[in-house]
Amino acid sequence: MTALELLEKTLSILSNDSITYTWRIDSHQIMIGSETKLCDNSLLITKFYDISDLMFIPTHNNTIPNLDLEQAMRNDVVINSISQNARTRRLNHHEKAQVRTTLSKIIRENVSPNVWEGKGGPCSIIHLQESFVIRAPEFVHRQLEDYSWVALNL
């Protein structure tokens, strides 16, 4: 078990329905405390999260194109069979709004739910075109990202 796994497991055991404990790195120190204590306005970080890859609907085309690969190779023709088989449909404005709203709700309900605006916390999430702008402490961003880098910095 790594030190990071041990820390996460210990904090999970200490947490209960009324208080959730977490950690953050501050000036090469590990700070441990409740989410509300570690959610000071001065510690909020603003990050952009691109969600454009969620703004399409894959369409399934089961038709396999009839390709003469030998002729294509002789004529130096580049074949893009992926674009012929795996087409996608971009979402319209209303569908994009639904995806943003649903994803925002999922984040607020599952990523440190008590730290978001509307629940008394200082964290915010807004939509900007095909991105989320999230203002939150490091421990919230850590839950949204892959934080394997943290283990290297401990």
Side-chain angles (χ1 to χ4, degrees), residues 38-46 122-124 135-138 141:
L38 297 181
C39 206
D40 186 317
N41 273 328
S42 66
L43 302 173
L44 300 183
I45 303 164
T46 302
C123 301
S124 63
R135 183 163 165 77
E138 180 267 337
H141 291 291

Side-chain angles (χ1 to χ4, degrees), residues 26-85:
D26 186 28
S27 301
H28 305 289
Q29 298 177 15
I30 299 175
M31 307 295 287
I32 298 174
S34 69
E35 287 183 340
T36 53
K37 291 284 186 187
L38 297 181
C39 206
D40 186 317
N41 273 328
S42 66
L43 302 173
L44 300 183
I45 303 164
T46 302
K47 289 189 178 184
F48 289 80
Y49 291 89
D50 181 12
I51 59 169
S52 61
D53 58 339
L54 302 175
M55 296 297 170
F56 70 89
I57 297 174
T59 56
H60 301 287
N61 182 355
N62 294 330
T63 307
I64 299 172
N66 189 6
L67 304 173
D68 184 348
L69 293 178
E70 287 183 26
Q71 181 176 351
M73 296 300 280
R74 280 193 304 267
N75 295 330
D76 294 328
V77 175
V78 176
I79 300 171
N80 190 352
S81 60
I82 293 174
S83 66
Q84 293 174 3
N85 287 329

Side-chain angles (χ1 to χ4, degrees), residues 48-153:
F48 289 80
Y49 291 89
D50 181 12
I51 59 169
S52 61
D53 58 339
L54 302 175
M55 296 297 170
F56 70 89
I57 297 174
T59 56
H60 301 287
N61 182 355
N62 294 330
T63 307
I64 299 172
N66 189 6
L67 304 173
D68 184 348
L69 293 178
E70 287 183 26
Q71 181 176 351
M73 296 300 280
R74 280 193 304 267
N75 295 330
D76 294 328
V77 175
V78 176
I79 300 171
N80 190 352
S81 60
I82 293 174
S83 66
Q84 293 174 3
N85 287 329
R87 298 188 189 276
T88 59
R89 179 179 70 77
R90 296 293 294 175
L91 299 178
N92 64 38
H93 180 71
H94 177 71
E95 291 169 325
K96 285 181 182 181
Q98 285 181 313
V99 168
R100 286 190 299 261
T101 301
T102 301
L103 186 54
S104 176
K105 182 180 178 188
I106 289 170
I107 290 170
R108 289 173 201 233
E109 290 176 354
N110 293 287
V111 178
S112 299
N114 296 321
V115 301
W116 298 98
E117 291 175 338
K119 294 252 185 154
C123 301
S124 63
I125 180 170
I126 61 170
H127 314 129
L128 180 63
Q129 296 175 354
E130 293 186 359
S131 295
F132 281 146
V133 180
I134 297 179
R135 183 163 165 77
E138 180 267 337
F139 69 85
V140 171
H141 291 291
R142 188 173 67 236
Q143 293 175 69
L144 296 169
E145 301 169 349
D146 171 24
Y147 64 95
S148 57
W149 62 269
V150 173
L152 299 174
N153 293 327

Side-chain angles (χ1 to χ4, degrees), residues 4-18:
L4 181 59
E5 290 169 334
L6 179 61
L7 176 61
E8 294 273 348
K9 186 172 184 128
T10 302
L11 294 175
S12 175
I13 292 169
L14 293 173
S15 299
N16 56 49
D17 290 339
S18 61

